[in-house]
Amino acid sequence: MTFPGPRPIHGDTVHISIDTTTLVFTGTTTCQGILEAGRGYVELTLPDADPEQRRALERCKSYGWDLYRDGALLYSSPPLILSTTKRTDDGALVVKGSPS
């Protein structure tokens, strides 16, 4: 699939692959391509339910993910290098990465 554009893609489940581990987040999830200082990134906004999953994601260097809605695959990311993670005011986790 291509890199996501500026229009958000909304799903309800995301499977994130880190090394040999797959983290599954369920709940309102959004991905969106952004451009900062001439470089393309993708932001993935996740529900922040499990602190262990959040910590594993914050410690990783690279990852990839598949976004689903009602069991149908909406988007499969290319391999990404983690740029930043942050929490929003409502507790969601925002993960930003760029293609490797």
Side-chain angles (χ1 to χ4, degrees):
M1 294 185 169
T2 61
F3 204 66
R7 181 171 290 168
I9 302 171
H10 302 283
D12 56 25
T13 305
V14 65
H15 296 190
I16 301 176
S17 300
I18 301 171
D19 297 321
T20 59
T21 304
T22 300
L23 307 174
V24 178
F25 291 81
T26 56
T28 303
T29 306
T30 304
C31 76
Q32 182 173 6
I34 59 171
L35 187 62
E36 283 183 2
R39 183 165 184 171
Y41 294 92
V42 63
E43 278 191 345
L44 180 63
T45 304
L46 304 162
D48 190 19
D50 183 345
E52 282 300 315
Q53 288 181 321
R54 177 177 41 84
R55 285 190 284 276
L57 192 51
E58 289 172 338
R59 288 188 302 258
C60 81
K61 293 190 183 352
S62 63
Y63 63 103
W65 46 269
D66 297 321
L67 179 64
Y68 298 88
R69 183 173 49 225
D70 297 327
L73 179 65
L74 295 177
Y75 182 78
S76 185
S77 80
L80 299 168
I81 296 172
L82 182 67
S83 175
T84 61
T85 60
K86 66 181 178 181
R87 303 274 307 262
T88 63
D89 292 337
D90 62 357
L93 178 64
V94 179
V95 180
K96 184 169 78 172
S98 61
S100 54

